[in-house]
Amino acid sequence: MRYAYRCSLVFIVAAALTGRPARAQENASDSLLTVNHYLDWEQVADPQISPDGQQIVYTRRWVNRLEDKWESALWLMNADGSHARFLVKGASARWSPDGTRLTYLADGEPSGTQVFVRWMDATGATTQVTRVTNTPSELHWSPDGKSIAFAMLVPEKHDWQISMPAAPPNAKWTPAPRMVDRMHYRQDRRGFMDFGYFHLFVVPAEGGTPRQLTSGPWNVGSRFDGLESGVGYDWTPDGKTIVFEGLKDPAGDYNYRNSHIYGVDVASGAIRQITQRPGTWTDPVVSPDGRTIAFTRADSSRMSYRAADLYVMGLDGASIRKLSGTLDRDPGDVTWAPDGSGLYFTAGDRGTSNVWYAPATGAAAPRKITDGVHMLSLSSLARSFAAAGVRSTFTDPPDVVRYDLKRPGAPQRLTAVNEDVLGGVQLAKEEEIWYPSSGGARVQAWIVKPPAFDPAKKYPLILEIHGGPHGMYNVGFSYMFQNFAANGYVVLYVNPRGSTGYGTAFGNAIERAYPSVDYDDLMAGVDTVLGRGYVDAKRMYVSGCSGGGVLSSWVIGHTTRFAAAAVRCPVIDWIAMAGQTDIPLFTYNFFDAPFWEKPDQWLKQSSLMYVGNVTTPTLLMTGELDLRTPMPQSEEYYQALKMRHVPTVLLRFSGEYHGTGSKPTNFMRTQLYMMSWFQKYGGTPAPAVTSGSN
């Protein structure tokens, strides 16, 4: 009977597969951006300009087709983009204060990631500086160039001693259970977290034994819901002190997002707390004269979202004053002007990112230094005020740029790493729109149109919803959107209420009510595009991952206007989510009270409670390793849809944590499965112009 049962399962699966579209989801083309091009795609990141402004080192990534992963290496070029060449395998490069050396992270001996130093003279000599057993990160040179600071986990013994009898010789006993006694014990993209605490170290730049500066049952580094996310810290110019963010509290496992700024004496290890007010105080940067610390974030609050502010204070914590004025945008990439006159920073604003300047005196409001419909970062700044960053637009993939903060102008593009892929390729066109929604809100969105768009034709529409929920769609290049448009789809992407880049009130509009008015904003956007006359109302589709999975599952429980849905990595049951996710405190803090006190609110905001309304054919897609919105969320929704006989398929992506596209092949599969599902429920998209191979 068991054998017959197993055979019947195989038969059922095979029959289900043969019922799906057999035709290809897209045709190969040399004039349109297909998934095939993704295997040749490259990325750039973290450009670091030398102190004299003459050279730039940056990280370049490409697809390893054989091992299905992204590889990275450091590349070097002159500041005008000339003489670009591979430098060394590694990442996270930082120039020494005098510009004669680079420190970086790479695989070393005896194993794992180690700190290296490379001399930038003609010899190009390289030295492995550390031989540690845990992974160092966040490299910072000392001002005199003699030492390098880094952060690293300090493991602690963590087991439960019981009186087990001795195992017989050559016995193969089952390993002891993994003991869990903390709230935060696993993290997406890491798996189970090693027991221990992150602390600061210094090591001689020529190599030697690292010296631990901080210690104890607490972590350096500001943490959101217990997650490891790097450490913001900086040296004082005299090299005597390192100021850093963290929370020196043994009960930090229950901390949601509070942190302080501290100073540690490099010689003695003595630590003093600099900030005193409760809040999220992070990203400290010391002024060139060593008298002032700039930092970001805000006072403690129960608000789900609040735009951060930019502050300065004395090295002793006195004279705190806000420099960001009424900007009401999140400052990032905070960098002191080389002359100490003020601070440069980036801010996301209505789908774009530009550089701003705030005088250190606070006598004037921040002003925008660069301008453009683009995403522009400030990665590093030379003594000459020459800056290096990464810039992207809707039709320009991210590339390294150089710009002058003393004489702002259009950034000079220095790399063109995807020019070989995009040469001769017709890209989609984008249109920005604003429209009214409920409660008098005005909402920003973008319409992506196929390269050969004809307003007289009717096109299928994909509504793609961003995650977060506190995030921001932007005008940067999107391979996903370009690929959908190349296959004949109109794509609508929206920044509904809850999004960042529009101020605190807009971003916090979904507090204690997620989803709610964000759904209104999405539907108003669909109505706006339908009013243009070129969308086929019978071929509309909805999709999104993470927060977009929350909303796409919510959408199909509240309307039947979509022909099909692709719900990716969703949360559909907030009560179960609280015990499954790696961000439990985030989940609990989104509600007025825990579910055992007020279950009605938790149930009201859960898509699962509206599954009885769903008739939309639904494709579920989640990574098997996902710890943020774990697989049981998708399984719960899948079984409920099955019980109601709604057409549904669950795709469990192998080797993926949160999301379905970190591995190159899985990104391509995500695109193709979605288009295949949409084709099955609504027909073939409007024909797109193709040429070359078919």
Side-chain angles (χ1 to χ4, degrees):
M1 288 296 294
R2 180 178 295 176
Y3 179 79
Y5 175 70
R6 293 180 67 181
C7 286
S8 68
L9 281 179
V10 172
F11 174 77
I12 291 170
V13 171
L17 288 171
T18 57
R20 296 176 195 159
R23 63 181 180 275
Q25 286 76 56
E26 66 175 2
N27 295 321
S29 171
D30 57 10
S31 64
L32 295 171
L33 192 64
T34 66
V35 295
N36 295 359
H37 291 111
Y38 198 67
L39 293 172
D40 296 316
W41 203 246
E42 294 192 56
Q43 300 173 343
V44 298
D46 195 26
Q48 296 293 313
I49 192 166
S50 59
D52 62 5
Q54 298 301 305
Q55 293 182 296
I56 296 173
V57 63
Y58 64 99
T59 301
R60 186 164 176 169
R61 303 175 73 219
W62 65 95
V63 175
N64 180 330
R65 297 189 182 202
L66 295 180
E67 299 183 24
D68 192 19
K69 64 180 183 179
W70 289 93
E71 299 276 10
S72 64
L74 295 172
W75 280 57
L76 184 70
M77 61 184 169
N78 294 334
D80 61 1
S82 63
H83 198 40
R85 67 274 193 196
F86 167 85
L87 184 66
V88 67
K89 291 281 286 184
S92 304
R94 293 295 182 268
W95 292 94
S96 63
D98 62 4
T100 62
R101 292 162 293 165
L102 281 175
T103 185
Y104 61 95
L105 298 173
D107 289 339
E109 299 293 338
S111 64
T113 302
Q114 303 291 341
V115 180
F116 287 79
V117 168
R118 186 186 192 277
W119 276 256
M120 300 305 291
D121 56 18
T123 65
T126 300
T127 296
Q128 181 177 324
V129 173
T130 62
R131 284 171 173 78
V132 292
T133 55
N134 290 288
T135 302
S137 63
E138 314 294 338
L139 306 180
H140 282 256
W141 287 92
S142 64
D144 61 7
K146 295 181 179 180
S147 302
I148 300 168
F150 61 90
M152 189 172 66
L153 177 74
V154 179
E156 289 203 358
K157 189 176 180 61
H158 186 241
D159 58 14
W160 189 341
Q161 296 295 328
I162 57 175
S163 302
M164 284 287 290
N170 302 317
K172 296 181 179 179
W173 285 14
T174 302
R178 181 188 299 273
M179 187 178 77
V180 174
D181 61 0
R182 296 179 297 170
M183 176 170 285
H184 299 96
Y185 61 94
R186 54 186 180 169
Q187 182 171 340
D188 196 66
R189 304 205 178 279
R190 285 176 170 80
F192 286 100
M193 300 163 71
D194 294 326
F195 189 82
Y197 299 93
F198 275 79
H199 286 291
L200 292 176
F201 293 77
V202 291
V203 64
E206 67 271 16
T209 302
R211 178 167 60 91
Q212 186 173 337
L213 288 183
T214 62
S215 61
W218 55 277
N219 290 294
V220 299
S222 174
R223 296 198 167 198
F224 172 82
D225 207 344
L227 302 182
E228 300 169 10
S229 57
V231 183
Y233 71 96
D234 198 13
W235 293 78
T236 56
D238 60 10
K240 294 181 179 180
T241 302
I242 291 178
V243 295
F244 65 92
E245 61 182 29
L247 188 65
K248 197 171 182 290
D249 183 353
D253 189 34
Y254 287 91
N255 174 54
Y256 177 34
R257 55 187 179 187
N258 291 308
S259 59
H260 281 293
I261 294 174
Y262 303 85
V264 57
D265 183 87
V266 176
S268 67
I271 296 174
R272 58 187 174 87
Q273 184 174 319
I274 300 176
T275 56
Q276 302 300 325
R277 296 198 322 238
T280 308
W281 312 112
T282 61
D283 303 319
V285 188
V286 182
S287 61
D289 64 7
R291 297 178 180 177
T292 308
I293 303 170
F295 58 104
T296 62
R297 299 303 186 262
D299 284 306
S300 182
S301 171
R302 279 276 296 170
M303 296 170 68
S304 171
Y305 170 74
R306 177 178 175 179
D309 290 307
L310 176 65
Y311 292 85
V312 291
M313 63 181 174
L315 203 61
D316 59 357
S319 305
I320 295 179
R321 59 188 186 278
K322 187 170 76 170
L323 298 188
S324 48
T326 60
L327 180 60
D328 200 21
R329 296 293 187 269
D330 294 297
D333 299 334
V334 176
T335 306
W336 278 97
D339 60 5
S341 59
L343 290 137
Y344 295 100
F345 60 95
T346 56
D349 178 39
R350 294 168 293 180
T352 66
S353 176
N354 278 286
V355 179
W356 293 66
Y357 174 78
T361 60
R367 69 178 189 273
K368 190 186 290 188
I369 297 297
T370 67
D371 196 20
V373 182
H374 56 206
M375 295 299 294
L376 178 65
S377 71
L378 173 58
S379 299
S380 56
L381 183 60
R383 291 188 292 263
S384 62
F385 286 81
V390 174
R391 178 181 180 271
S392 177
T393 71
F394 187 75
T395 54
D396 296 315
D399 271 308
V400 178
V401 295
R402 178 185 180 276
Y403 51 101
D404 192 326
L405 291 178
K406 276 291 190 183
R407 294 175 293 277
Q412 178 189 359
R413 180 177 168 185
L414 303 180
T415 63
V417 296
N418 290 302
E419 191 173 45
D420 54 338
V421 176
L422 296 180
V425 169
Q426 301 175 60
L427 293 177
K429 301 174 179 63
E430 176 198 39
E431 177 187 353
E432 177 187 321
I433 61 172
W434 289 82
Y435 56 86
S437 185
S438 63
R442 281 187 52 77
V443 180
Q444 184 183 27
W446 293 264
I447 305 169
V448 185
K449 302 173 183 177
F453 177 74
D454 180 351
K457 291 183 178 180
K458 293 284 190 179
Y459 292 85
L461 172 75
I462 299 175
L463 169 64
E464 181 66 28
I465 309 171
H466 75 62
H470 303 308
M472 180 184 78
Y473 268 143
N474 59 60
V475 298
F477 189 91
S478 169
Y479 201 110
M480 169 183 273
F481 299 161
Q482 289 286 350
N483 180 233
F484 284 151
N487 283 277
Y489 294 92
V490 168
V491 181
L492 171 65
Y493 64 104
V494 181
N495 279 335
R497 275 170 283 185
S499 300
T500 58
Y502 302 86
T504 298
F506 191 92
N508 203 48
I510 60 171
E511 184 179 29
R512 311 289 181 263
Y514 170 54
S516 59
V517 294
D518 40 1
Y519 169 79
D520 298 344
D521 298 347
L522 294 169
M523 294 305 100
V526 172
D527 292 338
T528 299
V529 179
L530 275 173
R532 303 293 177 94
Y534 50 74
V535 167
D536 184 348
K538 294 182 179 180
R539 293 189 294 159
M540 299 196 305
Y541 312 101
V542 61
S543 177
C545 177
S546 193
V550 173
L551 277 164
S552 55
S553 62
W554 184 269
V555 164
I556 60 176
H558 288 76
T559 181
T560 58
R561 72 192 306 184
F562 294 95
V567 177
R568 311 195 309 276
C569 37
V571 178
I572 53 88
D573 179 352
W574 287 109
I575 292 177
M577 171 74 170
Q580 295 166 350
T581 184
D582 67 341
I583 48 172
L585 295 176
F586 166 84
T587 309
Y588 280 105
N589 275 271
F590 235 109
F591 297 93
D592 292 319
F595 57 81
W596 54 86
E597 294 179 8
K598 294 183 178 180
D600 289 352
Q601 186 182 25
W602 291 67
L603 296 173
K604 179 184 176 183
Q605 302 304 138
S606 295
S607 301
L608 187 65
M609 295 298 102
Y610 306 93
V611 74
N613 302 332
V614 177
T615 60
T616 307
T618 303
L619 175 64
L620 289 159
M621 310 165 75
T622 299
E624 292 216 303
L625 304 177
D626 195 329
L627 296 176
R628 185 63 41 81
T629 59
M631 183 63 74
Q633 291 284 311
S634 294
E635 291 172 329
E636 231 184 317
Y637 203 58
Y638 171 74
Q639 294 291 12
L641 292 171
K642 277 295 187 184
M643 284 295 294
R644 297 200 61 254
H645 300 280
V646 176
T648 183
V649 170
L650 171 60
L651 296 177
R652 306 169 64 99
F653 277 71
S654 178
E656 287 290 344
Y657 282 99
H658 191 50
T660 59
S662 69
K663 293 182 178 295
T665 58
N666 280 343
F667 172 83
M668 296 186 289
R669 289 186 181 102
T670 298
Q671 296 292 104
L672 295 173
Y673 280 127
M674 288 173 65
M675 288 189 286
S676 178
W677 189 253
F678 297 159
Q679 287 171 14
K680 182 175 181 180
Y681 296 98
T684 305
V689 175
T690 60
S691 65
S693 59
N694 292 311

